[in-house]
Amino acid sequence: MKKTCFIFDLDGVLVDTAKFHFIAWQNLAKSLDINFTEKQNEELKGVSRIKSLEKILAWGNKTINEETFQYLMKQKNEEYLGCVKKMTQEDLLPGVLPVLNYLRKNNQTLALGSASKNAKTILQKTAITSYFQAIVDGNSVTKAKPDPEVFLKAAQLLNCPTNKCVVFEDSVAGIQAANTAGMYSIGIGNDKILKEANFIFPSFHQIKIPFIQSLMD
Ligand code: BG6
Ligand code: MG
């Protein structure tokens, strides 16, 4: 029998980078005279960089030319990377490392399935790259979540049937992507928001080893 494969989203599941995205998007919005709130930042979870900027411009009722659009995306990412640069293993969300260590100790197969183009840098900064046998990020997909491409690619790389994949996600789009891929979805966050998930935890910290064990073959 094929073993379970564990696929993790990155931002909001393993690391709390939403606060860094918020700082960078807020400064960008300010430069365009757009009011950008924390609530709106929530709506950008799991959303690609391009789509995020499109949404901010739409909220502010602003149109800009392609050149400015590209310039702003670059600016935003440079500011975001300024925060990422300072990350260490301490920036992993509580409860993440014990689960990763447990899975590794038990020879489980792990993949990363993230929309971020900065995923590899963040894995490096937090020193967890070696836990993953496959990494699928924003550079390797053409369709953003809720399209299942990112998770299907991970399953393919691991040679794992989709019904043996378990996905950990904090965004609605990510849960939908996992469900569409025919995978078991575990939501990390608010149960009212992530209600489409097969199972929900308020935070990673609440995931206990016996639960992880129950997912293994
Ligand atoms: C997702 C985040 O994981 O990655 C989004 O939840 C972010 O907020 C997206 O916009 C793209 O990230 P990056 O690092 O490529 O700008
Ligand atoms: Mg996420």
Side-chain angles (χ1 to χ4, degrees), residues 51-66:
K51 281 260 149 47
S52 299
L53 182 50
E54 283 171 358
K55 271 173 166 274
I56 291 169
L57 292 171
W59 287 326
N61 224 355
K62 287 258 171 352
T63 43
I64 55 174
N65 64 29
E66 180 56 23

Side-chain angles (χ1 to χ4, degrees), residues 114-126:
S114 166
S116 172
K117 295 190 171 182
N118 297 304
K120 286 189 179 152
T121 309
I122 294 169
L123 291 179
Q124 252 167 28
K125 297 303 294 178
T126 53

Side-chain angles (χ1 to χ4, degrees), residues 179-200:
N179 291 346
T180 306
M183 300 176 177
Y184 189 74
S185 55
I186 299 177
I188 313 285
N190 188 317
D191 57 357
K192 289 188 185 64
I193 297 172
L194 302 176
K195 53 185 183 294
E196 291 170 65
N198 294 122
F199 212 97
I200 303 167

